[in-house]
Amino acid sequence: MSDTSDQQAIERPASTADVAAEQRPPEQQQQGTAEVARQLEAGGGDEGGTLRQADEAPLFPPDEAGQLQDRWQEVQASFVDEPRQAVQQADELVAGAIKRLAQTFADERSQLEGQWDRGDEVSTEDLRVALQKYRSFFGRLLKV
Amino acid sequence: MTQDTVQIIFVALAVVALVAIALLWMRKRRSEGLKSRFGAEYDTLAKHTGDESKAEALLAAREKRVAAFQFTPLTTDERNRFVGSWREVQAQFVDDPKGAVTRADGLLGEVMKARGYPVADFEQRAADLSVDHAEVVQHYRTAHDIAERHERGEAGTEDLRQAMIHFRALFDDLVNEPDPAANGAPVKEKEKIRE
């Protein structure tokens, strides 16, 4: 199983989400997620479309994903010449990608926070919309 | 015996001696020429046949055979295509080491065919290559040997990796060979496959 899933990871960075989804064991905590996912699939009301869009937004911008892909190809090809170094570099690539992901999520979260945490003057309507955005974000996080 | 007869005999002997020396000298020159041209190939063949003169005869036959080939340099497109294919095969090693080695061997065969070598079995190809690529043909033999050992379960991933490197040595040589039409000037960008 690991061979094919690694191959998929090489071809489509977004598919790590699929791999993670496959490997996630069913747990009590996950039921909440399943509900969230179901709600997202169903797409409640008008926000359904936009929520689905936000949910499916790629984790890395296309040009960055492309660069990472190219870098991976180099590392993989270099294995024949320097196996150990290739594995070292693969490790660094993966670590870098994880860091980048964490940064992306941290930025998004702080953006969300900025939209509602402005003191007592926030309307209920603003808070409602904020919660929907958090739900969408949460859904994305759980898919990784 | 008359003096004339003695003189004739001496002259005849002298001529025979001169001819013998000339033949021996030419033989030695040919021997040295083959040794320098074929290098290690000469030594292995001499050891194999156990007889230097037999080895020389075989090598001379090879030279003659290869002299009849119509070699063509690779076009830039062909070269780029082959280099690209090699990169792919080398990357594929990670997923399928044995398959990659087999594909590398196949790719080499294609390059040889594109250059003008006739399609043949491994031994014949190695023999043909040895005429103009005496140093790298040893790499070819070693790689082939590793592949065979792997068939028998006697070679691991590291050995296969070495086989790839050996195959690549020959590949580089064939793909970067100077164009005779350009008066032996090397291909402009001697692009090394290794980055």
Side-chain angles (χ1 to χ4, degrees):
Chain A
M1 178 170 108
S2 58
D3 278 357
T4 39
S5 66
D6 282 335
Q7 262 196 328
Q8 285 169 359
I10 289 163
E11 285 148 20
R12 299 178 293 124
S15 71
T16 44
D18 303 331
V19 172
E22 281 169 32
Q23 290 172 340
R24 229 183 336 139
E27 279 174 343
Q28 210 172 23
Q29 288 174 330
Q30 303 302 324
Q31 281 178 4
T33 317
E35 279 168 24
V36 170
R38 242 179 280 121
Q39 285 168 2
L40 288 166
E41 301 293 334
D46 298 333
E47 287 80 29
T50 35
L51 280 176
R52 194 167 298 136
Q53 264 184 337
D55 183 45
E56 284 162 15
L59 298 165
F60 286 90
D63 50 320
E64 205 177 320
Q67 275 176 9
L68 288 170
Q69 284 283 51
D70 289 343
R71 181 76 191 105
W72 178 272
Q73 284 305 318
E74 280 173 26
V75 167
Q76 185 166 331
S78 78
F79 180 85
V80 166
D81 286 302
E82 299 282 349
R84 196 187 177 86
Q85 194 184 85
V87 174
Q88 184 81 42
Q89 288 172 347
D91 186 56
E92 285 164 14
L93 249 185
V94 168
I98 290 173
K99 246 172 114 179
R100 183 78 183 86
L101 253 187
Q103 189 61 51
T104 303
F105 282 131
D107 289 345
E108 261 197 63
R109 195 222 106 230
S110 87
Q111 241 186 23
L112 278 178
E113 194 186 30
Q115 285 170 18
W116 67 273
D117 198 9
R118 301 189 298 264
D120 298 324
E121 300 304 319
V122 190
S123 73
T124 308
E125 180 56 18
D126 286 345
L127 288 171
R128 184 185 75 84
V129 170
L131 191 64
Q132 286 181 321
K133 289 186 178 167
Y134 269 108
R135 181 179 64 197
S136 163
F137 186 38
F138 193 61
R140 277 176 75 201
L141 262 179
L142 289 164
K143 281 198 178 168
V144 173
Chain B
M1 271 203 289
T2 63
Q3 240 201 345
D4 287 332
T5 322
V6 172
Q7 277 181 345
I8 289 169
I9 291 172
F10 269 130
V11 169
L13 282 173
V15 167
V16 167
L18 279 172
V19 168
I21 290 170
L23 283 173
L24 277 172
W25 180 74
M26 271 168 52
R27 178 89 180 276
K28 184 149 186 274
R29 265 199 63 178
R30 186 183 90 152
S31 196
E32 277 164 13
L34 285 171
K35 267 185 201 151
S36 88
R37 181 170 203 181
F38 286 96
E41 191 78 359
Y42 183 104
D43 297 329
T44 39
L45 205 57
K47 210 187 297 176
H48 191 65
T49 58
D51 181 357
E52 268 199 12
S53 56
K54 213 185 280 182
E56 285 179 18
L58 281 169
L59 291 175
R62 280 187 201 177
E63 278 183 328
K64 197 167 163 197
R65 177 185 149 91
V66 171
F69 294 169
Q70 304 276 15
F71 285 129
T72 45
L74 295 175
T75 65
T76 314
D77 280 344
E78 278 178 323
R79 195 176 159 275
N80 291 339
R81 193 167 47 85
F82 283 132
V83 167
S85 295
W86 182 273
R87 285 211 175 99
E88 276 176 33
V89 169
Q90 189 168 314
Q92 284 164 5
F93 182 86
V94 169
D95 290 302
D96 182 5
K98 179 57 169 82
V101 167
T102 306
R103 256 170 265 127
D105 197 358
L107 191 55
L108 261 176
E110 283 177 48
V111 174
M112 285 180 70
K113 195 168 157 200
R115 293 289 326 276
Y117 286 91
V119 177
D121 68 6
F122 168 75
E123 270 307 326
Q124 185 60 67
R125 278 203 253 162
D128 291 343
L129 280 170
S130 69
V131 174
D132 293 309
H133 304 269
E135 302 98 42
V136 286
V137 79
Q138 300 308 319
H139 288 292
Y140 189 46
R141 289 189 188 282
T142 309
H144 183 86
D145 181 60
I146 293 173
E148 284 193 329
R149 280 195 289 130
H150 189 268
E151 295 287 328
R152 302 194 297 266
E154 293 168 17
T157 307
E158 173 59 18
D159 298 304
L160 289 176
R161 183 178 79 86
Q162 293 296 334
M164 285 294 289
I165 293 176
H166 285 299
F167 273 141
R168 188 176 63 199
L170 177 60
F171 181 86
D172 277 344
D173 215 44
L174 286 173
V175 146
N176 288 316
E177 193 158 11
D179 183 357
N183 294 320
V187 171
K188 266 189 210 130
E189 297 124 38
K190 182 158 178 158
E191 195 182 311
K192 274 293 177 197
I193 315 297
R194 192 208 287 223
E195 274 137 29

